Amino acid sequence: MTDKLTGAAGRQHVADSIRHALRSGDLVPGQRLVENDLAAAYGATRGAVREALQDLAAEEILEIVPRRGARVRTVSVEEAVQITECRSALEQLCAGKAATLATDDQRAELARIGVDMRQAVADGAWEAYSALNQRLHELVIEASGQEVARRTLGRLNGPMVRYQFRLALRPGRPARSLPQHLAIIEAVVGRDPEAAGRAAAAHLDDVIEQLRSSAAPSPT
Amino acid sequence: MTDKLTGAAGRQHVADSIRHALRSGDLVPGQRLVENDLAAAYGATRGAVREALQDLAAEEILEIVPRRGARVRTVSVEEAVQITECRSALEQLCAGKAATLATDDQRAELARIGVDMRQAVADGAWEAYSALNQRLHELVIEASGQEVARRTLGRLNGPMVRYQFRLALRPGRPARSLPQHLAIIEAVVGRDPEAAGRAAAAHLDDVIEQLRSSAAPSPT
DNA sequence: ATCAACAAGATTGTTGACAAGATGTTTCGC
DNA sequence: GCGAAACATCTTGTCAACAATCTTGTTGAT
């Protein structure tokens, strides 16, 4: 076995491991995280675990209450809606800028993603569609050159993993979001900032609607 | 002398003290922060100082490089522009929601702020105008009920203190921003979400223009 | 059976000392 | 005098033990 991870390395490792555990459902909201257990599980020192927990709390993924440890934060539907409203505002900005600033390579990749998305929906390849979806959003943000927005959106997405999961596997969801995604691509590739912003906003407004109609946040 | 501050209390105190020192110019960008000095200066333990530095680094106010300590981060004009673009997107959202959701009390306070602002500009009372400006933005965000946007905007403002300072005392700036502020107030009080969003965006677009025309970020 | 008080164990918070690395200074060869 | 190596000093990072607090389980009285 390798030595115990310490400092920056351990900190990063533990934080990533917890994020991953969250995504894969190994950790559920409300669950308590004990420093010693995490240290043993991930082969890090308690100090490293402590710093990692602070980082995750700053991202609002965890909630740490003094003397009582860290818990996985639960995100209400209302908060998920607010997060998505903010994402909408920022992605609208990015889409508009991307329409003006994207390089030819980026426009080409966007077009390719559009083609692949159509195919994925036709084939019922849900995981592939989800990956393309994520890449699309990333690419639009990257093409906008808005580094601050990129970081901010990254922060906002942290606590949302749970909902992304729930929404993605709603029946008929891909068929519904496909035209919205294609509209974003078309506007950005076609150098129409106004339309790009509108398309991005329309897409996320639809996500908000879906969130609102999803009754309870968690059946567990 | 009281005892050394430790844990959450010291952490908060040190972070606030550093923020204040930044605003008042006691700390300049690029300046190195030594943990022991801070601990002595603010009467806290080194542990508390350490945690405070982590917090400020998470807010992107400081930059901490391993084994070499923490420095005050310098914000380029380009980054300041990007931050303001993000603020624009989010405040647009908040202004629109505030126009619909503000309580009568909040609308009354907004109207009062408008009156006071006119007066302050007429009197040349710059500090008063600056305080009203800040209160106006706070109030719009509060009235929108968008807690996530509120936190996010707070984060974005962190690294901007320096530029707010530089912009506020440009000659003729208040006279220029006054009508923009009044337009926001009028739209929110008059329950016109569209106009409120447009007014907020227009105001911040003007701030961006001012930022761009402000040549070098720092004469030091 | 219910509840309060208490004790035992578990968990987080804090401290002080030391290790590791960076920075600045002196000294030495040329 | 100039540059480079050796040295001294300062600063941050790490750790292990201890202290403070919370949680859980038990007991005993009503």
Side-chain angles (χ1 to χ4, degrees):
Chain A
M1 195 57 175
T2 142
D3 219 9
K4 285 203 176 188
L5 292 174
T6 177
R11 184 178 184 162
Q12 186 80 24
H13 173 65
V14 172
D16 287 348
S17 298
I18 292 177
R19 268 187 276 261
H20 180 75
L22 252 231
R23 259 190 289 281
S24 61
D26 293 341
L27 291 177
V28 297
Q31 183 163 347
R32 180 141 171 240
L33 301 178
V34 176
E35 296 178 356
N36 270 324
D37 297 353
L38 296 173
Y42 300 131
T45 64
R46 191 153 82 95
V49 169
R50 217 145 211 287
E51 289 172 352
L53 293 179
Q54 293 293 330
D55 289 349
L56 295 171
E59 292 179 44
E60 310 202 345
I61 290 173
L62 302 182
E63 179 188 28
I64 134 173
V65 13
R67 291 279 179 201
R68 218 168 292 186
R71 310 176 78 86
V72 178
R73 210 166 78 84
T74 61
V75 177
S76 68
V77 172
E78 172 57 23
E79 190 177 354
V81 168
Q82 290 193 6
I83 290 173
T84 308
E85 284 178 347
C86 289
R87 278 190 56 197
S88 175
L90 291 171
E91 292 207 14
Q92 186 172 352
L93 169 70
C94 289
K97 300 200 78 166
T100 303
L101 299 173
T103 66
D104 288 347
D105 281 356
Q106 288 166 335
R107 291 177 209 273
E109 185 177 352
L110 281 174
R112 216 176 316 133
I113 289 174
V115 172
D116 291 351
M117 274 185 147
R118 267 189 240 262
Q119 188 65 47
V121 169
D123 296 351
W126 312 126
E127 332 83 47
Y129 183 75
S130 174
L132 287 167
N133 176 12
Q134 200 167 332
R135 178 71 188 133
L136 167 58
H137 285 262
E138 273 176 23
L139 190 53
V140 168
I141 292 162
E142 186 186 322
S144 74
Q146 242 287 13
E147 196 56 27
V148 174
R150 195 183 61 73
R151 285 200 297 267
T152 306
L153 283 165
R155 277 246 155 98
L156 286 172
N157 272 331
M160 284 285 291
V161 267
R162 196 161 168 65
Y163 284 91
Q164 287 167 357
F165 186 67
R166 288 172 52 78
L167 276 199
L169 34 79
R170 292 191 94 181
R173 178 74 196 137
R176 177 162 178 169
S177 65
L178 176 61
Q180 299 167 4
H181 286 141
L182 294 179
I184 296 174
I185 293 173
E186 186 181 9
V188 172
V189 172
R191 296 188 153 79
D192 185 341
E194 289 281 328
R198 272 199 310 273
H203 171 47
L204 284 163
D205 287 353
D206 185 55
V207 172
I208 290 172
E209 201 176 310
Q210 296 291 310
L211 276 175
R212 282 229 161 86
S213 74
S214 103
S218 159
T220 45
Chain B
M1 197 55 176
T2 137
D3 219 11
K4 285 203 175 186
L5 291 174
T6 179
R11 183 178 186 162
Q12 186 80 24
H13 173 64
V14 173
D16 286 349
S17 299
I18 293 177
R19 269 188 275 261
H20 181 74
L22 250 242
R23 261 190 288 280
S24 62
D26 293 341
L27 291 177
V28 298
Q31 183 162 345
R32 182 145 170 238
L33 300 179
V34 176
E35 296 178 357
N36 272 324
D37 296 354
L38 296 172
Y42 301 131
T45 64
R46 192 154 79 94
V49 169
R50 215 147 213 288
E51 289 172 351
L53 293 180
Q54 293 293 330
D55 290 350
L56 295 171
E59 291 180 44
E60 310 202 348
I61 291 172
L62 302 182
E63 178 188 29
I64 138 171
V65 9
R67 290 276 178 205
R68 216 169 295 184
R71 308 177 79 87
V72 178
R73 213 165 76 85
T74 61
V75 177
S76 68
V77 173
E78 173 56 24
E79 189 177 354
V81 168
Q82 290 194 6
I83 290 173
T84 309
E85 284 178 347
C86 289
R87 278 191 54 198
S88 175
L90 292 171
E91 292 207 15
Q92 187 172 351
L93 168 69
C94 288
K97 300 200 78 166
T100 304
L101 299 173
T103 65
D104 289 347
D105 282 356
Q106 287 166 336
R107 291 177 208 274
E109 185 177 352
L110 281 174
R112 217 175 316 131
I113 289 174
V115 173
D116 291 351
M117 273 185 149
R118 267 190 239 261
Q119 188 65 46
V121 169
D123 296 352
W126 313 125
E127 333 81 47
Y129 183 75
S130 173
L132 288 167
N133 177 12
Q134 200 167 331
R135 179 70 188 132
L136 168 57
H137 285 263
E138 274 176 23
L139 191 53
V140 167
I141 292 163
E142 187 186 320
S144 74
Q146 241 288 13
E147 194 57 25
V148 173
R150 196 183 62 73
R151 286 201 297 266
T152 305
L153 283 165
R155 279 243 154 105
L156 286 171
N157 272 330
M160 285 284 293
V161 265
R162 198 160 167 64
Y163 284 92
Q164 288 168 355
F165 186 67
R166 288 172 51 78
L167 277 199
L169 33 78
R170 293 190 93 180
R173 177 74 195 136
R176 177 161 178 169
S177 66
L178 177 61
Q180 299 166 5
H181 285 141
L182 294 178
I184 296 173
I185 292 172
E186 188 181 7
V188 172
V189 172
R191 297 187 153 79
D192 186 340
E194 288 281 329
R198 272 199 310 275
H203 171 48
L204 283 163
D205 287 351
D206 185 54
V207 172
I208 290 172
E209 200 176 310
Q210 296 291 310
L211 276 174
R212 281 229 162 84
S213 74
S214 104
S218 161
T220 46

